[in-house]
Amino acid sequence: MMMMIKTNNPCLKILSTIILLVSLFIYIFVAPSFFTSPHLYKHLHLQPRDFEFCPSNYTNHCPCQDPIRARRFPKAKWFRKERHCPERTQRLRCLIPTPPGYQTPFPWPKSKDTAWFSNVPFPKLVEYKKSQNWVRLEGDRFVFPGGGTSFTEGVNAYVHALDRLLPVSLKSGNIRTVLDVGCGVASFGASLMDYDILTMSLAPSDEHQSQVQFALERGLPAMLGVLSIHRLTFPSRSFDMVHCSRCLVPWTAYDGLYLREIDRILRPGGFWVLSGPPINWRVNYKAWETEPQVLEKEQNILEDLAKQMCWEKVSERGQIAVWQKHIDHISCMQKLKTSRSPKFCNSSESDPDAGWYTKMTACIFPLPDVKDVHEESGGVLGKWPMRLETVPPRVGNENDDGFTLKAYIKDNQRWKRRVSDYEIMLKSISSGKYRNVMDMNAGFGGFAAAMVKYPVWVMNVVPFDAKGSNLGIIYERGLIGTYMDWCEPFSTYPRTYDLIHASGVFSMYMGKCDISDIVLEMHRIVRPKGAVIIRDERDVIVKVKEITDKIRWKGTVMAGDQNGPFHMEMIMVIVLNDAD
């Protein structure tokens, strides 16, 4: 501490005062910038401060579905349940902690039926849905017996009943991609796994507490989402079937807005399945404790909306009804000449494939043109698994975005080779250690297609502003995914992915946002004992490694592909353990 020099000499008094003022100036204005300067760390061989862990109450934090922030938004149209992400200046700059007693999830397929209580310590759903047998708590683990609101005899019996109602068999390969709206703990999607059908299970964060987290803990594809103001984060003509089992969506409200959104994402010839009210209301209204006139009116409106959208009802039995979308709009128009015309979106409406913060519209997007009524709009999709190796119609059509068959084939060959290399780097890929996989920049879906041989499923993420928005192609291949902006957090719970693959992600977002936020988000959603593969330009990898070092991830850097150490692309492989 500076001390004033006691003296009677006026010159010395002035000198000592000047020294004190200069010292205070240096302390207040110069020292802070000096001691935080990267040059100081460089010369003193010190590391910048590591990221610390968040408080324990952030263990299950979902930044864009935070219940406290959600209360600021209106309840109308479920808008409160949509994504409401924090401003970048308000984002957490800490690491989400692991809950006490966390254990490595059961390997697939055992995980489909069993999960550790300590990993998802929420008994509320057990009590709330006790009579419906969604999930039971037995000792230190949950078990999933396959019950549900409409699965009174178990989900397998429900799926068998649905199989008899559909005009095509679930085993035929005609149905591969399914969306389950209001999925509960994803027992419907789990049952469809037996038919080699891939189901995207969708539910909001709500009072049932962590339905989607339960689904992902089971090793099933799922994400947080709700039908509200904005479109679902999928392109047009994505799903072979969309399912709702008492999902509480007001399908007939707002001029059928939500049903028209389902029409957008349902492929030509695809199926919409609704079970529960108002289906077969004459038999079921007493059990539902609802006035028959109310249910009758709702079903009449529903039937009228379906006709407007060129959906044909193919069956109804018990509590299940099935509609099929026409393969084109020409034949539909011919049938509707004497009835109410469909409300088509005009040319000024936005791209039908847009699905990132794009508002829904109560209109129907016209299907791609066909030459005659026997041609399937948009092109015929092959049966699964041949569909995966068949050139998708959106590639074969060589649309205006510049997709070419040559580029597509080259991409497939490249990722088959690279995934074989990954198996050498991460021998656990083929052993079943990893189940939930995310590709943060999926391109044509080549990585996911090459991973099909392993016991995994892949969430193919396509940045909404990517140069080529290929998510429609990915769905035509029989794979699933979503749009995303990696400047924001993903709509999932912490610790829900075993393996994260990031190819070219950081170079894409360099300059758009702070890439350390992307690394922190990866840390949030990857499971303990999981793995991360980052593939990017050499200079970018160096910058990313500086951040991964600060979160105490031990990454191994190697040359990309097999072109030696001077190749511009590098790979960083991070294998996590409980201490990371």
Side-chain angles (χ1 to χ4, degrees):
M1 180 182 293
M2 291 294 298
M3 298 181 62
M4 291 294 291
I5 302 172
K6 293 184 178 181
T7 176
N8 293 324
N9 188 322
C11 292
L12 287 176
K13 284 184 176 180
I14 294 172
L15 179 61
S16 63
T17 302
I18 292 172
I19 292 172
L20 176 62
L21 291 173
V22 171
S23 300
L24 288 171
F25 177 84
I26 292 172
Y27 180 78
I28 296 171
F29 296 103
V30 178
S33 61
F34 175 74
F35 285 106
T36 56
S37 168
H39 299 292
L40 179 69
Y41 291 113
K42 179 179 178 181
H43 292 299
L44 297 183
H45 304 289
L46 298 175
Q47 291 296 322
R49 184 177 178 85
D50 290 343
F51 287 100
E52 301 298 332
F53 280 91
C54 307
S56 58
N57 59 321
Y58 284 95
T59 297
N60 296 290
H61 181 57
C62 298
C64 297
Q65 281 84 12
D66 180 67
I68 297 175
R69 182 179 297 103
R71 295 189 194 118
R72 305 174 191 171
F73 300 93
K75 293 182 179 179
K77 288 188 177 180
W78 294 92
F79 186 60
R80 183 172 289 182
K81 299 295 184 182
E82 278 211 11
R83 286 172 57 87
H84 299 294
C85 301
E87 297 293 332
R88 293 178 187 177
T89 55
Q90 298 175 337
R91 288 183 64 167
L92 291 178
R93 304 287 293 175
C94 53
L95 308 175
I96 299 299
T98 302
Y102 181 88
Q103 300 186 64
T104 301
F106 291 98
W108 182 263
K110 187 175 180 180
S111 64
K112 185 169 69 170
D113 302 314
T114 312
W116 295 112
F117 173 79
S118 56
N119 293 6
V120 196
F122 304 120
K124 184 176 179 181
L125 191 62
V126 176
E127 294 300 320
Y128 191 82
K129 294 291 184 180
K130 186 175 182 179
S131 62
Q132 296 171 14
N133 215 20
W134 282 27
V135 55
R136 294 198 307 265
L137 181 58
E138 297 182 357
D140 59 356
R141 64 193 67 183
F142 291 110
V143 295
F144 303 92
T149 309
S150 294
F151 310 153
T152 54
E153 297 179 8
V155 68
N156 290 334
Y158 175 89
V159 170
H160 289 154
L162 174 60
D163 194 22
R164 291 192 294 270
L165 291 177
L166 289 164
V168 296
S169 169
L170 290 173
K171 295 181 179 180
S172 66
N174 287 287
I175 298 173
R176 164 62 179 174
T177 56
V178 173
L179 177 68
D180 187 17
V181 179
C183 63
V185 294
S187 292
F188 180 72
S191 183
L192 289 181
M193 284 281 180
D194 296 337
Y195 299 86
D196 212 3
I197 292 173
L198 198 56
T199 304
M200 176 77 83
S201 295
L202 190 77
S205 56
D206 62 4
E207 68 277 3
H208 293 164
Q209 202 168 38
S210 301
Q211 297 176 76
V212 166
Q213 192 172 8
F214 274 108
L216 288 158
E217 192 69 17
R218 299 175 69 183
L220 301 169
M223 63 183 293
L224 290 163
V226 64
L227 284 158
S228 173
I229 301 292
H230 295 100
R231 294 180 188 174
L232 298 177
T233 56
F234 315 117
S236 65
R237 298 179 281 126
S238 298
F239 294 97
D240 301 324
M241 185 167 76
V242 179
H243 172 259
C244 162
S245 171
R246 300 196 73 172
C247 58
L248 304 181
V249 174
W251 295 114
T252 59
Y254 318 118
D255 194 21
L257 183 68
Y258 301 143
L259 208 58
R260 298 178 198 276
E261 171 63 2
I262 298 303
D263 180 76
R264 182 184 71 85
I265 62 174
L266 190 64
R267 75 168 178 86
F271 302 98
W272 186 58
V273 179
L274 177 64
S275 66
I279 303 305
N280 203 357
W281 58 269
R282 290 181 176 85
V283 175
N284 300 311
Y285 75 91
K286 289 183 180 179
W288 294 333
E289 298 180 349
T290 307
E291 291 296 325
Q293 297 87 349
V294 174
L295 294 169
E296 181 182 19
K297 181 179 178 180
E298 185 178 353
Q299 179 142 2
N300 289 339
I301 296 172
L302 192 66
E303 302 281 6
D304 184 57
L305 282 168
K307 289 178 182 178
Q308 290 180 47
M309 295 185 300
C310 298
W311 292 4
E312 183 178 348
K313 195 171 190 179
V314 294
S315 57
E316 178 178 332
R317 188 181 307 157
Q319 294 187 30
I320 305 175
V322 179
W323 284 263
Q324 184 172 21
K325 183 175 177 177
H326 276 242
I327 62 172
D328 66 272
H329 279 151
I330 295 176
S331 58
C332 175
M333 295 304 95
Q334 294 174 350
K335 291 182 179 180
L336 292 175
K337 283 181 180 179
T338 58
S339 62
R340 187 178 173 186
S341 299
K343 183 181 178 182
F344 284 109
C345 306
N346 58 45
S347 57
S348 65
E349 300 287 350
S350 62
D351 177 6
D353 286 338
W356 188 249
Y357 292 122
T358 305
K359 285 194 174 181
M360 294 184 201
T361 50
C363 59
I364 305 165
F365 282 99
L367 292 172
D369 292 335
V370 294
K371 296 178 181 178
D372 60 64
V373 294
H374 302 293
E375 183 181 349
E376 185 168 317
S377 184
V380 178
L381 299 182
K383 295 182 179 181
W384 183 263
M386 290 79 76
R387 184 185 300 188
L388 186 66
E389 301 300 328
T390 305
V391 177
R394 297 192 201 210
V395 172
N397 293 338
E398 295 190 12
N399 59 31
D400 295 336
D401 292 326
F403 301 134
T404 65
L405 179 59
K406 183 178 179 181
Y408 175 79
I409 293 173
K410 185 177 180 180
D411 183 78
N412 281 333
Q413 294 171 343
R414 181 189 301 120
W415 283 111
K416 284 180 180 179
R417 183 181 69 251
R418 287 177 173 179
V419 167
S420 294
D421 292 340
Y422 290 162
E423 186 176 349
I424 297 172
M425 300 174 195
L426 290 173
K427 294 182 172 57
S428 298
I429 289 179
S430 58
S431 70
K433 178 181 178 181
Y434 307 126
R435 171 62 183 171
N436 302 349
V437 179
M438 174 182 284
D439 190 0
M440 295 177 66
N441 185 23
F444 288 114
F447 169 78
M451 293 285 286
V452 165
K453 59 185 176 181
Y454 306 123
V456 306
W457 67 270
V458 179
M459 177 69 81
N460 290 282
V461 179
V462 174
F464 81 103
D465 57 350
K467 186 176 180 181
S469 181
N470 304 344
L471 194 53
I473 291 173
I474 289 170
Y475 272 94
E476 286 186 343
R477 303 186 72 174
L479 307 170
I480 59 173
T482 180
Y483 291 120
M484 180 60 190
D485 178 359
W486 284 114
C487 287
E488 297 183 2
F490 192 75
S491 290
T492 192
Y493 289 88
R495 303 170 303 279
T496 45
Y497 285 88
D498 300 294
L499 173 62
I500 297 178
H501 181 251
S503 177
V505 172
F506 290 97
S507 58
M508 178 184 297
Y509 283 91
M510 197 74 69
K512 293 182 180 179
C513 53
D514 189 343
I515 62 170
S516 64
D517 285 335
I518 301 177
V519 176
L520 289 173
E521 178 64 0
M522 295 168 75
H523 183 280
R524 185 182 76 88
I525 65 179
V526 73
R527 284 174 170 169
K529 295 189 178 180
V532 176
I533 300 173
I534 301 173
R535 190 180 201 107
D536 223 308
E537 298 171 8
R538 179 190 298 270
D539 292 344
V540 174
I541 289 290
V542 171
K543 293 177 182 178
V544 174
K545 193 173 189 308
E546 290 176 1
I547 304 170
T548 56
D549 286 346
K550 290 167 69 176
I551 64 173
R552 295 170 286 280
W553 276 359
K554 300 174 183 65
T556 302
V557 179
M558 60 197 76
D561 291 325
Q562 299 176 352
N563 296 318
F566 299 105
H567 192 262
M568 291 300 293
E569 189 178 64
M570 304 292 288
I571 303 172
M572 179 162 59
V573 179
I574 302 163
V575 180
L576 306 177
N577 55 57
D578 287 334
D580 293 319

